[in-house]
Amino acid sequence: MEANVIKLHGTPSIVTASSTARRHRSSILSIHYRNKRVSPFSLTVTRCSTTRSNETCQDSSLESSSLPSSKKGLVLDLGTDSWDSEEIGSPVVKRFLSDNEERWYMWYHGRSTSSKQNLVSDSVGLAVSNNGIHWERGKGIVESTDDVGLVMTPCEDWWAFDKANVRPREVVIMSSSKVRADSSVYWMYYTGYTTETVEFQSQGLNFELGNPERFEKASVFRSLPGLAISQDGRHWARIEGEHHSGALFDVGSEKDWDFLYIASPHVVFHGSGDLRMYYHSFDAKTGEFCIGMARSREGIKWVKFGKILGGRKSEKEGLVCFDEMGGRYPCVTRNKRDGSYVMAYEGVDRNGKMSIGLAVSIDGIKDWKRVQDEEAVLAVGEGGAWDSEGVGCPYLIEMDGDSDHQWRLYYRGVGNGGRTGIGLAVSEGSEITKFTKQIIMWGQKQ
């Protein structure tokens, strides 16, 4: 299901950003396909149904039981005979609250190599939940505005920056004066990959570098940030950026830290006229993954701010930092209690092992301080656990409004043979220095 490509004329002004569930209603989106004007079309948004004809239901709940530790933390496994049966990851999780219901959406990337699905590239899908634990997913392409499953595939244009793979990194709900609609619009920031490989030399790497990461054989492909919009979270239209490939912006020059590629664009709405994008690349000169930042007034035109987080070495003799080779896949959110910015990121050690760390900044721009010393806040599972080979690509949610202040951390886990899944860990109250993987009670798949 390829998203339509559109180009916004003029500069949108951001009116509002909200995580509150909105009333669903019919609305009109006025668009341009490239430079050709087309008739407006309707996107009808309806309430999500809990009964679907094409779903693979996974019934799970949090329990302190004696379930096998190998499944600890797992909330979404690979699909069966579906578009996401080969690989899943990149969770983007949103919690929507209204007066009478709680709804959760998870956009994530998946891949299948089966002849039936005919998908060999990373695509984007949607799963829904009423508690963030039990997720309803679809086997194939969404067919209606209350369906779940595959929602976006790579672009078919030969010149596009996202013709090989697409992976979501953030979904922001905003309104724009340049998009004619009766309600707010979902803005998805994603990584698009081409088939162009990147040649580079970096000394001292003890592991194979990949972009996107593959857990069998890795290659480094050029990637850039993209944007698509939707009014129901299921039917997406690409926004054509200023770069000739349709991307929002390009990599840096050969002397810059982000010359190889740009990946995982996570956008935070700081205030009216102030959006911030956190993204990562690999600095071939220093031989480490780094997280950088760009800023925008309207979410489409971006100005790079520079590198804000890189690798480090322990000041204690004999100890090794979990993020010695740097950080990637940043997820930044604003702490509603004290106004500070909290960044969850995937740390990479000297051997390529992946785990998750947190850093805090007062203004979200500079002086990022890690909340832990050498060890991560979330490490790999032990023994034959489903996530024994790596945890990363975190997505952090503050559970505000509850009696006990808590944080949820969704993440991608990698196990034996490169098998992937999506997991959940929870903080001990408001303390963000340690997260505990939840024991999930699984029911039978339908």
Side-chain angles (χ1 to χ4, degrees), residues 1 6 24 49 67 80 87 96 202 208 218 220 227 255 262-263 271 273 277 281 293-294 377 385 388 399 426:
M1 180 179 183
I6 70 177
H24 302 301
S49 169
L67 205 70
T80 302
E87 178 185 316
F96 299 101
S202 183
E208 195 172 16
V220 180
L227 171 63
K255 65 180 180 180
I262 291 172
M277 177 190 291
S281 186
M293 179 180 166
V377 298
S388 61
M399 300 290 288
V426 178

Side-chain angles (χ1 to χ4, degrees), residues 165-440:
N165 298 284
V166 287
R167 291 187 175 188
R169 192 56 192 136
E170 178 60 309
V171 174
V172 185
I173 301 178
M174 297 187 288
S175 295
S176 169
S177 63
K178 296 301 179 182
V179 177
R180 184 160 61 91
D182 294 332
S183 61
S184 293
V185 177
Y186 296 87
W187 295 45
M188 178 195 290
Y189 291 91
Y190 67 95
T191 308
Y193 301 83
T194 69
T195 55
E196 174 191 357
T197 57
V198 179
E199 300 296 333
F200 72 99
Q201 291 184 342
S202 183
Q203 304 298 324
L205 280 184
N206 297 326
F207 55 92
E208 195 172 16
L209 178 64
N211 183 56
E213 292 82 22
R214 298 289 185 221
F215 305 105
E216 56 277 356
K217 182 178 180 180
S219 297
V220 180
F221 292 94
R222 184 79 71 186
S223 63
L224 292 173
L227 171 63
I229 63 173
S230 169
Q231 286 197 297
D232 61 1
R234 295 164 171 82
H235 301 89
W236 294 90
R238 286 173 168 86
I239 299 296
E240 190 176 77
E242 292 189 317
H243 191 258
H244 63 80
S245 66
L248 294 176
F249 55 86
D250 200 1
V251 296
S253 64
E254 289 191 43
K255 65 180 180 180
D256 294 324
W257 70 277
D258 58 357
F259 170 67
L260 293 182
Y261 60 83
I262 291 172
S264 64
H266 184 92
V267 172
V268 174
F269 184 91
H270 176 73
S272 181
D274 187 1
L275 284 89
R276 300 163 181 188
M277 177 190 291
Y278 303 86
Y279 65 94
H280 85 260
S281 186
F282 184 81
D283 189 339
K285 291 185 175 61
T286 61
E288 61 183 10
F289 295 96
C290 298
I291 295 170
M293 179 180 166
R295 302 183 75 172
S296 173
R297 292 184 179 275
E298 23 63 9
I300 299 175
K301 297 181 180 180
W302 295 87
V303 177
K304 293 180 181 178
F305 183 82
K307 187 192 304 186
I308 61 174
L309 192 74
R312 59 173 179 155
K313 293 187 181 296
S314 175
E315 297 178 354
K316 302 175 182 177
E317 187 177 354
L319 295 181
V320 178
C321 293
F322 77 95
D323 55 356
E324 181 176 335
M325 302 303 295
R328 58 189 182 188
Y329 296 105
C331 174
V332 178
T333 186
R334 198 167 190 179
N335 190 323
K336 294 180 176 63
R337 294 206 166 186
D338 61 15
S340 64
Y341 288 81
V342 182
M343 178 197 293
Y345 65 95
E346 178 182 311
V348 183
D349 73 6
R350 62 176 60 174
N351 297 314
K353 179 181 175 181
M354 303 164 292
S355 47
I356 296 174
L358 291 180
V360 177
S361 169
I362 298 299
D363 59 8
I365 300 174
K366 58 184 184 301
D367 298 328
W368 288 92
K369 300 187 186 324
R370 294 168 170 88
V371 302
Q372 64 287 315
D373 293 324
E374 290 80 13
E375 296 189 4
V377 298
L378 190 71
V380 299
E382 298 179 354
W386 70 276
D387 57 355
S388 61
E389 296 299 314
V391 293
C393 206
Y395 198 91
L396 190 63
I397 292 182
E398 183 179 11
M399 300 290 288
D400 59 307
D402 297 334
S403 56
D404 55 334
H405 188 245
Q406 193 179 64
W407 296 79
R408 284 191 181 185
L409 182 64
Y410 293 86
Y411 65 95
R412 176 204 61 204
V414 184
N416 292 332
R419 183 185 175 92
T420 56
I422 293 174
L424 169 63
V426 178
S427 70
E428 297 178 359
S430 60
E431 180 59 52
I432 59 174
T433 59
K434 185 175 179 58
F435 285 76
T436 302
K437 298 172 186 176
Q438 298 302 291
I439 297 177
I440 311 297

Side-chain angles (χ1 to χ4, degrees), residues 10-303:
T11 304
S13 58
I14 305 303
V15 177
T16 181
S18 173
S19 60
T20 303
R22 298 181 176 275
R23 184 178 301 167
H24 302 301
R25 54 197 173 191
S26 298
S27 53
I28 301 295
L29 177 64
S30 180
I31 68 173
H32 291 75
Y33 286 85
R34 302 292 173 196
N35 295 316
K36 181 180 179 181
R37 177 71 176 181
V38 298
S39 299
F41 61 90
S42 297
L43 290 180
T44 304
V45 183
T46 59
R47 181 170 301 170
C48 296
S49 169
T50 57
T51 303
R52 322 217 189 284
S53 60
N54 71 335
E55 74 184 23
T56 300
C57 184
Q58 292 181 308
D59 189 6
S60 54
S61 58
L62 294 175
E63 294 287 348
S64 56
S65 70
S66 57
L67 205 70
S69 60
S70 62
K71 291 286 187 181
K72 191 174 182 181
L74 181 64
V75 295
L76 195 71
D77 204 348
L78 294 176
T80 302
D81 194 23
S82 62
W83 71 275
D84 56 355
S85 60
E86 182 74 14
E87 178 185 316
I88 59 174
S90 311
V92 175
V93 183
K94 295 294 176 182
R95 181 193 191 199
F96 299 101
L97 297 175
S98 64
D99 293 337
N100 57 1
E101 70 173 348
E102 175 179 355
R103 298 297 290 168
W104 293 72
Y105 280 25
M106 180 197 294
W107 293 271
Y108 63 100
H109 90 256
R111 181 165 59 101
S112 171
T113 57
S114 69
S115 57
K116 180 178 179 180
Q117 293 296 328
N118 196 30
L119 288 173
V120 294
S121 301
D122 294 339
S123 299
V124 180
L126 173 67
V128 298
S129 172
N130 59 11
N131 57 13
I133 303 163
H134 159 214
W135 293 94
E136 299 166 11
R137 49 145 34 115
K139 285 179 174 290
I141 297 173
V142 296
E143 298 176 352
S144 66
T145 55
D146 63 352
D147 207 354
V148 289
L150 178 63
V151 300
M152 183 173 166
T153 58
C155 185
E156 294 180 356
D157 294 324
W158 64 268
W159 46 264
F161 76 99
D162 54 353
K163 65 181 180 180
N165 298 284
V166 287
R167 291 187 175 188
R169 192 56 192 136
E170 178 60 309
V171 174
V172 185
I173 301 178
M174 297 187 288
S175 295
S176 169
S177 63
K178 296 301 179 182
V179 177
R180 184 160 61 91
D182 294 332
S183 61
S184 293
V185 177
Y186 296 87
W187 295 45
M188 178 195 290
Y189 291 91
Y190 67 95
T191 308
Y193 301 83
T194 69
T195 55
E196 174 191 357
T197 57
V198 179
E199 300 296 333
F200 72 99
Q201 291 184 342
S202 183
Q203 304 298 324
L205 280 184
N206 297 326
F207 55 92
E208 195 172 16
L209 178 64
N211 183 56
E213 292 82 22
R214 298 289 185 221
F215 305 105
E216 56 277 356
K217 182 178 180 180
S219 297
V220 180
F221 292 94
R222 184 79 71 186
S223 63
L224 292 173
L227 171 63
I229 63 173
S230 169
Q231 286 197 297
D232 61 1
R234 295 164 171 82
H235 301 89
W236 294 90
R238 286 173 168 86
I239 299 296
E240 190 176 77
E242 292 189 317
H243 191 258
H244 63 80
S245 66
L248 294 176
F249 55 86
D250 200 1
V251 296
S253 64
E254 289 191 43
K255 65 180 180 180
D256 294 324
W257 70 277
D258 58 357
F259 170 67
L260 293 182
Y261 60 83
I262 291 172
S264 64
H266 184 92
V267 172
V268 174
F269 184 91
H270 176 73
S272 181
D274 187 1
L275 284 89
R276 300 163 181 188
M277 177 190 291
Y278 303 86
Y279 65 94
H280 85 260
S281 186
F282 184 81
D283 189 339
K285 291 185 175 61
T286 61
E288 61 183 10
F289 295 96
C290 298
I291 295 170
M293 179 180 166
R295 302 183 75 172
S296 173
R297 292 184 179 275
E298 23 63 9
I300 299 175
K301 297 181 180 180
W302 295 87
V303 177

